[in-house]
Amino acid sequence: MNEKERELLSLIEKEGRMKEESLAKMLDTPADEIAAMLKSLENRKVILGYSALIDWSKTDIAETVTAMIDVKVTPKRGVGFDEVAERIYRFKEVKALYLMSGTYDLSVSIEGRSMSDIAQFVSEKLSTLDSVISTTTHFQLKKYKHDGVIFGQDEEGDHRMVVSP
C-alpha cells in the first residue's frame, strides 16, 4: 500500500461522502487516479463499505434496543476463538463482534426490537453454543458519542466551556 492510498483512506474514514474531485484537490492527484485508487481498495477488500451515522432519536422511526454482551468461551484446539466467533457473527442480530483481553473473551454488539428480543437471543441462540461458558449483558441506555460524533448536541447555543478564576 502506498502513501497516497493511506492518505486517501484517512480522509474517507472521517467523511465517506467526499467527492472524488475534493479528494483529488486535497491529495494533489487527478480525480481519475483517485477513482482508480478507490476502486482498487474496494476490490482488495481494504474498503469494506460506506455507511451513514444516524441519530434515530430525531426520527419518527422506533429505535431498536442495543446490547453489549460479554462472552466467556472455551477456545478449540487448532482454531482458537475463530470457530465460535464465526458461529456467533453469522446471527443476523449481531452487529459487531470483537476478541477482547480481560475477564471475557468476546464482546458482541446486538440489536433487537425489545429487551425481550435480546433476552431470547441470549437464552436460545448464544448461550446454547457448546463453547460458550457464560455471558453478561449490558443494555445501551443512551448514545452520547459514536465514531467521534457527538449525539444530541444542537448546533445553536453557546457551547463554550465556562472558565472561572
Side-chain angles (χ1 to χ4, degrees), residues 8 23-24 33 38 52 62 70-71 101 105 107-108 118 121 145 150 153 162:
L8 177 61
L23 292 165
E33 197 174 315
L38 286 169
D70 297 327
V71 185
S101 65
D105 304 306
S107 180
V108 184
I118 305 282
F121 171 81
K145 186 175 183 178
I150 298 171
Q153 198 175 46
V162 175

mmCIF file with all atom_site columns, all heavy atoms in Angstrom, residues 8 23-24 33 38 52 62 70-71 101 105 107-108 118 121 145 150 153 162:
data_model
loop_
_atom_site.group_PDB
_atom_site.id
_atom_site.type_symbol
_atom_site.label_atom_id
_atom_site.label_alt_id
_atom_site.label_comp_id
_atom_site.label_asym_id
_atom_site.label_entity_id
_atom_site.label_seq_id
_atom_site.pdbx_PDB_ins_code
_atom_site.Cartn_x
_atom_site.Cartn_y
_atom_site.Cartn_z
_atom_site.occupancy
_atom_site.B_iso_or_equiv
_atom_site.pdbx_formal_charge
_atom_site.auth_seq_id
_atom_site.auth_comp_id
_atom_site.auth_asym_id
_atom_site.auth_atom_id
_atom_site.pdbx_PDB_model_num
ATOM 1   N N   . LEU A 1 8   ? -5.598  8.697   1.425   1.00 0.00 ? 8   LEU A N   1
ATOM 2   C CA  . LEU A 1 8   ? -6.972  8.601   0.938   1.00 0.00 ? 8   LEU A CA  1
ATOM 3   C C   . LEU A 1 8   ? -7.854  7.878   1.952   1.00 0.00 ? 8   LEU A C   1
ATOM 4   O O   . LEU A 1 8   ? -8.954  8.335   2.277   1.00 0.00 ? 8   LEU A O   1
ATOM 5   C CB  . LEU A 1 8   ? -6.986  7.871   -0.418  1.00 0.00 ? 8   LEU A CB  1
ATOM 6   C CG  . LEU A 1 8   ? -8.347  7.620   -1.047  1.00 0.00 ? 8   LEU A CG  1
ATOM 7   C CD1 . LEU A 1 8   ? -9.080  8.928   -1.324  1.00 0.00 ? 8   LEU A CD1 1
ATOM 8   C CD2 . LEU A 1 8   ? -8.186  6.815   -2.334  1.00 0.00 ? 8   LEU A CD2 1
ATOM 9   N N   . LEU A 1 23  ? -11.369 15.092  -2.989  1.00 0.00 ? 23  LEU A N   1
ATOM 10  C CA  . LEU A 1 23  ? -10.248 14.248  -2.575  1.00 0.00 ? 23  LEU A CA  1
ATOM 11  C C   . LEU A 1 23  ? -9.033  14.506  -3.466  1.00 0.00 ? 23  LEU A C   1
ATOM 12  O O   . LEU A 1 23  ? -7.902  14.557  -2.979  1.00 0.00 ? 23  LEU A O   1
ATOM 13  C CB  . LEU A 1 23  ? -10.645 12.770  -2.633  1.00 0.00 ? 23  LEU A CB  1
ATOM 14  C CG  . LEU A 1 23  ? -11.686 12.315  -1.606  1.00 0.00 ? 23  LEU A CG  1
ATOM 15  C CD1 . LEU A 1 23  ? -12.252 10.962  -1.981  1.00 0.00 ? 23  LEU A CD1 1
ATOM 16  C CD2 . LEU A 1 23  ? -11.086 12.288  -0.213  1.00 0.00 ? 23  LEU A CD2 1
ATOM 17  N N   . ALA A 1 24  ? -9.269  14.677  -4.755  1.00 0.00 ? 24  ALA A N   1
ATOM 18  C CA  . ALA A 1 24  ? -8.180  14.930  -5.704  1.00 0.00 ? 24  ALA A CA  1
ATOM 19  C C   . ALA A 1 24  ? -7.439  16.222  -5.350  1.00 0.00 ? 24  ALA A C   1
ATOM 20  O O   . ALA A 1 24  ? -6.204  16.264  -5.360  1.00 0.00 ? 24  ALA A O   1
ATOM 21  C CB  . ALA A 1 24  ? -8.728  14.995  -7.124  1.00 0.00 ? 24  ALA A CB  1
ATOM 22  N N   . GLU A 1 33  ? -7.402  9.276   -11.101 1.00 0.00 ? 33  GLU A N   1
ATOM 23  C CA  . GLU A 1 33  ? -6.483  8.436   -10.329 1.00 0.00 ? 33  GLU A CA  1
ATOM 24  C C   . GLU A 1 33  ? -7.089  8.105   -8.958  1.00 0.00 ? 33  GLU A C   1
ATOM 25  O O   . GLU A 1 33  ? -6.946  6.990   -8.459  1.00 0.00 ? 33  GLU A O   1
ATOM 26  C CB  . GLU A 1 33  ? -5.134  9.147   -10.165 1.00 0.00 ? 33  GLU A CB  1
ATOM 27  C CG  . GLU A 1 33  ? -4.010  8.234   -9.758  1.00 0.00 ? 33  GLU A CG  1
ATOM 28  C CD  . GLU A 1 33  ? -2.655  8.933   -9.736  1.00 0.00 ? 33  GLU A CD  1
ATOM 29  O OE1 . GLU A 1 33  ? -2.349  9.670   -10.691 1.00 0.00 ? 33  GLU A OE1 1
ATOM 30  O OE2 . GLU A 1 33  ? -1.930  8.730   -8.740  1.00 0.00 ? 33  GLU A OE2 1
ATOM 31  N N   . LEU A 1 38  ? -9.728  4.224   -5.336  1.00 0.00 ? 38  LEU A N   1
ATOM 32  C CA  . LEU A 1 38  ? -10.891 3.794   -4.558  1.00 0.00 ? 38  LEU A CA  1
ATOM 33  C C   . LEU A 1 38  ? -11.388 2.433   -5.047  1.00 0.00 ? 38  LEU A C   1
ATOM 34  O O   . LEU A 1 38  ? -11.664 1.543   -4.239  1.00 0.00 ? 38  LEU A O   1
ATOM 35  C CB  . LEU A 1 38  ? -12.014 4.831   -4.650  1.00 0.00 ? 38  LEU A CB  1
ATOM 36  C CG  . LEU A 1 38  ? -11.803 6.115   -3.861  1.00 0.00 ? 38  LEU A CG  1
ATOM 37  C CD1 . LEU A 1 38  ? -12.845 7.160   -4.246  1.00 0.00 ? 38  LEU A CD1 1
ATOM 38  C CD2 . LEU A 1 38  ? -11.835 5.856   -2.370  1.00 0.00 ? 38  LEU A CD2 1
ATOM 39  N N   . ALA A 1 52  ? -23.706 5.580   6.854   1.00 0.00 ? 52  ALA A N   1
ATOM 40  C CA  . ALA A 1 52  ? -24.110 6.859   7.443   1.00 0.00 ? 52  ALA A CA  1
ATOM 41  C C   . ALA A 1 52  ? -24.325 6.651   8.938   1.00 0.00 ? 52  ALA A C   1
ATOM 42  O O   . ALA A 1 52  ? -24.791 5.599   9.370   1.00 0.00 ? 52  ALA A O   1
ATOM 43  C CB  . ALA A 1 52  ? -25.389 7.361   6.795   1.00 0.00 ? 52  ALA A CB  1
ATOM 44  N N   . ALA A 1 62  ? -39.218 3.915   15.203  1.00 0.00 ? 62  ALA A N   1
ATOM 45  C CA  . ALA A 1 62  ? -38.971 3.325   16.517  1.00 0.00 ? 62  ALA A CA  1
ATOM 46  C C   . ALA A 1 62  ? -37.511 2.894   16.628  1.00 0.00 ? 62  ALA A C   1
ATOM 47  O O   . ALA A 1 62  ? -36.972 2.252   15.733  1.00 0.00 ? 62  ALA A O   1
ATOM 48  C CB  . ALA A 1 62  ? -39.889 2.135   16.736  1.00 0.00 ? 62  ALA A CB  1
ATOM 49  N N   . ASP A 1 70  ? -20.873 -9.554  26.964  1.00 0.00 ? 70  ASP A N   1
ATOM 50  C CA  . ASP A 1 70  ? -19.549 -10.126 27.229  1.00 0.00 ? 70  ASP A CA  1
ATOM 51  C C   . ASP A 1 70  ? -19.723 -11.626 27.256  1.00 0.00 ? 70  ASP A C   1
ATOM 52  O O   . ASP A 1 70  ? -20.622 -12.147 27.931  1.00 0.00 ? 70  ASP A O   1
ATOM 53  C CB  . ASP A 1 70  ? -19.015 -9.640  28.575  1.00 0.00 ? 70  ASP A CB  1
ATOM 54  C CG  . ASP A 1 70  ? -18.804 -8.133  28.603  1.00 0.00 ? 70  ASP A CG  1
ATOM 55  O OD1 . ASP A 1 70  ? -18.453 -7.564  27.557  1.00 0.00 ? 70  ASP A OD1 1
ATOM 56  O OD2 . ASP A 1 70  ? -18.991 -7.542  29.686  1.00 0.00 ? 70  ASP A OD2 1
ATOM 57  N N   . VAL A 1 71  ? -18.858 -12.343 26.531  1.00 0.00 ? 71  VAL A N   1
ATOM 58  C CA  . VAL A 1 71  ? -18.988 -13.792 26.414  1.00 0.00 ? 71  VAL A CA  1
ATOM 59  C C   . VAL A 1 71  ? -17.678 -14.460 26.797  1.00 0.00 ? 71  VAL A C   1
ATOM 60  O O   . VAL A 1 71  ? -16.615 -14.101 26.287  1.00 0.00 ? 71  VAL A O   1
ATOM 61  C CB  . VAL A 1 71  ? -19.370 -14.201 24.968  1.00 0.00 ? 71  VAL A CB  1
ATOM 62  C CG1 . VAL A 1 71  ? -19.622 -15.705 24.885  1.00 0.00 ? 71  VAL A CG1 1
ATOM 63  C CG2 . VAL A 1 71  ? -20.584 -13.427 24.480  1.00 0.00 ? 71  VAL A CG2 1
ATOM 64  N N   . SER A 1 101 ? -9.318  -8.702  25.472  1.00 0.00 ? 101 SER A N   1
ATOM 65  C CA  . SER A 1 101 ? -8.463  -9.147  26.573  1.00 0.00 ? 101 SER A CA  1
ATOM 66  C C   . SER A 1 101 ? -9.248  -8.931  27.857  1.00 0.00 ? 101 SER A C   1
ATOM 67  O O   . SER A 1 101 ? -10.218 -8.179  27.873  1.00 0.00 ? 101 SER A O   1
ATOM 68  C CB  . SER A 1 101 ? -7.152  -8.351  26.590  1.00 0.00 ? 101 SER A CB  1
ATOM 69  O OG  . SER A 1 101 ? -7.426  -6.993  26.870  1.00 0.00 ? 101 SER A OG  1
ATOM 70  N N   . ASP A 1 105 ? -13.862 -13.146 26.832  1.00 0.00 ? 105 ASP A N   1
ATOM 71  C CA  . ASP A 1 105 ? -13.121 -13.391 25.599  1.00 0.00 ? 105 ASP A CA  1
ATOM 72  C C   . ASP A 1 105 ? -13.680 -12.618 24.414  1.00 0.00 ? 105 ASP A C   1
ATOM 73  O O   . ASP A 1 105 ? -12.923 -12.089 23.598  1.00 0.00 ? 105 ASP A O   1
ATOM 74  C CB  . ASP A 1 105 ? -13.143 -14.889 25.271  1.00 0.00 ? 105 ASP A CB  1
ATOM 75  C CG  . ASP A 1 105 ? -12.592 -15.712 26.411  1.00 0.00 ? 105 ASP A CG  1
ATOM 76  O OD1 . ASP A 1 105 ? -11.465 -15.417 26.842  1.00 0.00 ? 105 ASP A OD1 1
ATOM 77  O OD2 . ASP A 1 105 ? -13.292 -16.631 26.883  1.00 0.00 ? 105 ASP A OD2 1
ATOM 78  N N   . SER A 1 107 ? -16.702 -9.773  22.833  1.00 0.00 ? 107 SER A N   1
ATOM 79  C CA  . SER A 1 107 ? -17.683 -8.726  23.069  1.00 0.00 ? 107 SER A CA  1
ATOM 80  C C   . SER A 1 107 ? -18.593 -8.685  21.848  1.00 0.00 ? 107 SER A C   1
ATOM 81  O O   . SER A 1 107 ? -18.126 -8.485  20.728  1.00 0.00 ? 107 SER A O   1
ATOM 82  C CB  . SER A 1 107 ? -16.993 -7.373  23.272  1.00 0.00 ? 107 SER A CB  1
ATOM 83  O OG  . SER A 1 107 ? -17.954 -6.366  23.489  1.00 0.00 ? 107 SER A OG  1
ATOM 84  N N   . VAL A 1 108 ? -19.879 -8.902  22.075  1.00 0.00 ? 108 VAL A N   1
ATOM 85  C CA  . VAL A 1 108 ? -20.854 -8.980  20.994  1.00 0.00 ? 108 VAL A CA  1
ATOM 86  C C   . VAL A 1 108 ? -21.808 -7.801  21.109  1.00 0.00 ? 108 VAL A C   1
ATOM 87  O O   . VAL A 1 108 ? -22.381 -7.565  22.170  1.00 0.00 ? 108 VAL A O   1
ATOM 88  C CB  . VAL A 1 108 ? -21.668 -10.298 21.082  1.00 0.00 ? 108 VAL A CB  1
ATOM 89  C CG1 . VAL A 1 108 ? -22.614 -10.426 19.902  1.00 0.00 ? 108 VAL A CG1 1
ATOM 90  C CG2 . VAL A 1 108 ? -20.760 -11.501 21.192  1.00 0.00 ? 108 VAL A CG2 1
ATOM 91  N N   . ILE A 1 118 ? -33.661 -9.365  22.908  1.00 0.00 ? 118 ILE A N   1
ATOM 92  C CA  . ILE A 1 118 ? -32.258 -9.568  23.294  1.00 0.00 ? 118 ILE A CA  1
ATOM 93  C C   . ILE A 1 118 ? -32.155 -10.765 24.234  1.00 0.00 ? 118 ILE A C   1
ATOM 94  O O   . ILE A 1 118 ? -31.295 -11.637 24.056  1.00 0.00 ? 118 ILE A O   1
ATOM 95  C CB  . ILE A 1 118 ? -31.678 -8.303  23.986  1.00 0.00 ? 118 ILE A CB  1
ATOM 96  C CG1 . ILE A 1 118 ? -31.843 -7.064  23.123  1.00 0.00 ? 118 ILE A CG1 1
ATOM 97  C CG2 . ILE A 1 118 ? -30.245 -8.544  24.430  1.00 0.00 ? 118 ILE A CG2 1
ATOM 98  C CD1 . ILE A 1 118 ? -30.904 -6.863  21.994  1.00 0.00 ? 118 ILE A CD1 1
ATOM 99  N N   . PHE A 1 121 ? -32.498 -13.941 22.330  1.00 0.00 ? 121 PHE A N   1
ATOM 100 C CA  . PHE A 1 121 ? -31.277 -14.235 21.575  1.00 0.00 ? 121 PHE A CA  1
ATOM 101 C C   . PHE A 1 121 ? -30.233 -14.875 22.488  1.00 0.00 ? 121 PHE A C   1
ATOM 102 O O   . PHE A 1 121 ? -29.628 -15.892 22.146  1.00 0.00 ? 121 PHE A O   1
ATOM 103 C CB  . PHE A 1 121 ? -30.708 -12.959 20.937  1.00 0.00 ? 121 PHE A CB  1
ATOM 104 C CG  . PHE A 1 121 ? -29.352 -13.150 20.344  1.00 0.00 ? 121 PHE A CG  1
ATOM 105 C CD1 . PHE A 1 121 ? -29.193 -13.709 19.087  1.00 0.00 ? 121 PHE A CD1 1
ATOM 106 C CD2 . PHE A 1 121 ? -28.208 -12.786 21.053  1.00 0.00 ? 121 PHE A CD2 1
ATOM 107 C CE1 . PHE A 1 121 ? -27.930 -13.907 18.543  1.00 0.00 ? 121 PHE A CE1 1
ATOM 108 C CE2 . PHE A 1 121 ? -26.947 -12.984 20.520  1.00 0.00 ? 121 PHE A CE2 1
ATOM 109 C CZ  . PHE A 1 121 ? -26.807 -13.545 19.258  1.00 0.00 ? 121 PHE A CZ  1
ATOM 110 N N   . LYS A 1 145 ? -21.791 9.526   22.186  1.00 0.00 ? 145 LYS A N   1
ATOM 111 C CA  . LYS A 1 145 ? -20.792 9.721   21.149  1.00 0.00 ? 145 LYS A CA  1
ATOM 112 C C   . LYS A 1 145 ? -20.516 8.385   20.479  1.00 0.00 ? 145 LYS A C   1
ATOM 113 O O   . LYS A 1 145 ? -20.426 7.350   21.145  1.00 0.00 ? 145 LYS A O   1
ATOM 114 C CB  . LYS A 1 145 ? -19.499 10.274  21.764  1.00 0.00 ? 145 LYS A CB  1
ATOM 115 C CG  . LYS A 1 145 ? -18.423 10.648  20.778  1.00 0.00 ? 145 LYS A CG  1
ATOM 116 C CD  . LYS A 1 145 ? -17.236 11.289  21.506  1.00 0.00 ? 145 LYS A CD  1
ATOM 117 C CE  . LYS A 1 145 ? -16.170 11.741  20.544  1.00 0.00 ? 145 LYS A CE  1
ATOM 118 N NZ  . LYS A 1 145 ? -15.056 12.392  21.251  1.00 0.00 ? 145 LYS A NZ  1
ATOM 119 N N   . ILE A 1 150 ? -20.642 13.398  18.239  1.00 0.00 ? 150 ILE A N   1
ATOM 120 C CA  . ILE A 1 150 ? -21.421 13.629  19.452  1.00 0.00 ? 150 ILE A CA  1
ATOM 121 C C   . ILE A 1 150 ? -22.900 13.675  19.093  1.00 0.00 ? 150 ILE A C   1
ATOM 122 O O   . ILE A 1 150 ? -23.299 14.364  18.156  1.00 0.00 ? 150 ILE A O   1
ATOM 123 C CB  . ILE A 1 150 ? -20.982 14.941  20.145  1.00 0.00 ? 150 ILE A CB  1
ATOM 124 C CG1 . ILE A 1 150 ? -19.516 14.828  20.568  1.00 0.00 ? 150 ILE A CG1 1
ATOM 125 C CG2 . ILE A 1 150 ? -21.881 15.239  21.341  1.00 0.00 ? 150 ILE A CG2 1
ATOM 126 C CD1 . ILE A 1 150 ? -18.912 16.119  21.053  1.00 0.00 ? 150 ILE A CD1 1
ATOM 127 N N   . GLN A 1 153 ? -26.470 16.974  20.346  1.00 0.00 ? 153 GLN A N   1
ATOM 128 C CA  . GLN A 1 153 ? -25.957 18.322  20.524  1.00 0.00 ? 153 GLN A CA  1
ATOM 129 C C   . GLN A 1 153 ? -26.549 19.215  19.442  1.00 0.00 ? 153 GLN A C   1
ATOM 130 O O   . GLN A 1 153 ? -26.406 18.942  18.250  1.00 0.00 ? 153 GLN A O   1
ATOM 131 C CB  . GLN A 1 153 ? -24.428 18.307  20.418  1.00 0.00 ? 153 GLN A CB  1
ATOM 132 C CG  . GLN A 1 153 ? -23.767 19.519  20.989  1.00 0.00 ? 153 GLN A CG  1
ATOM 133 C CD  . GLN A 1 153 ? -22.251 19.350  20.947  1.00 0.00 ? 153 GLN A CD  1
ATOM 134 O OE1 . GLN A 1 153 ? -21.698 18.934  19.950  1.00 0.00 ? 153 GLN A OE1 1
ATOM 135 N NE2 . GLN A 1 153 ? -21.597 19.683  22.032  1.00 0.00 ? 153 GLN A NE2 1
ATOM 136 N N   . VAL A 1 162 ? -17.143 26.973  30.497  1.00 0.00 ? 162 VAL A N   1
ATOM 137 C CA  . VAL A 1 162 ? -17.161 28.030  31.499  1.00 0.00 ? 162 VAL A CA  1
ATOM 138 C C   . VAL A 1 162 ? -15.811 28.012  32.221  1.00 0.00 ? 162 VAL A C   1
ATOM 139 O O   . VAL A 1 162 ? -15.351 26.974  32.686  1.00 0.00 ? 162 VAL A O   1
ATOM 140 C CB  . VAL A 1 162 ? -18.295 27.809  32.518  1.00 0.00 ? 162 VAL A CB  1
ATOM 141 C CG1 . VAL A 1 162 ? -18.225 28.839  33.624  1.00 0.00 ? 162 VAL A CG1 1
ATOM 142 C CG2 . VAL A 1 162 ? -19.642 27.841  31.819  1.00 0.00 ? 162 VAL A CG2 1
#
